[in-house]
Amino acid sequence: MAVLRPVLQGFTSIDFPSADVSATPVWIEVGLGADRPIGSVTLYPRTDAAGGGSANFPVDFTMQARADGSTTSTTTRTVTGQSNPSGAAQTYTLTSTTGRCPRLTATKLGTPASDESTKFRLQLAEIDIK
């Protein structure tokens, strides 16, 4: 039996003037092609930023899933106050769900890269959905 392991590699959002993006949340959605069980999401932080650490990793965010053909999403996990992961992948177990389009919506962004200290973005090296 083959296991489908959808992975998105490399994502950078547009720039924001501050870490608080709650008025205009930034999101990323991954299309899986068909409905499937989603049990966890692993976020891999950007690790090539000047000054080390993990630049632009989300601090406050929700994860949602939307079934094929549906216009509504179900929230599967809410995270607040996520600390800088310092390069380590972060795995989030979700409430049991099935969907085609998992989405991460950030309302607060992490520390920008030291060489771009005024550019707040959502940046991830990889997203792994299982």
Side-chain angles (χ1 to χ4, degrees):
M1 173 201 239
V3 175
L4 177 64
R5 184 176 172 212
V7 174
L8 171 75
Q9 295 183 337
F11 175 80
T12 297
S13 73
I14 62 171
D15 300 350
F16 292 90
S18 74
D20 181 359
V21 293
S22 58
T24 54
V26 59
W27 56 270
I28 181 171
E29 185 172 279
V30 179
L32 303 178
D35 284 342
R36 54 167 271 171
I38 304 169
S40 68
V41 173
T42 302
L43 303 178
Y44 293 82
R46 175 184 173 195
T47 57
D48 64 338
S54 297
N56 302 306
F57 198 82
V59 174
D60 296 344
F61 57 98
T62 59
M63 293 186 203
Q64 299 174 310
R66 182 172 46 87
D68 192 18
S70 178
T71 58
T72 59
S73 296
T74 302
T75 298
T76 58
R77 179 81 184 249
T78 299
V79 177
T80 56
Q82 171 66 57
S83 60
N84 187 309
S86 298
Q90 303 295 301
T91 299
Y92 303 93
T93 302
L94 309 179
T95 57
S96 180
T97 191
T98 298
R100 177 181 182 191
C101 301
R103 175 185 284 203
L104 179 149
T105 302
T107 55
K108 185 174 182 184
L109 304 174
T111 306
S114 62
D115 61 340
E116 297 182 321
S117 61
T118 61
K119 294 183 179 181
F120 292 88
R121 303 178 179 131
L122 173 58
Q123 288 187 309
L124 297 170
E126 187 174 315
I127 299 174
D128 187 3
I129 302 164
K130 294 183 182 174

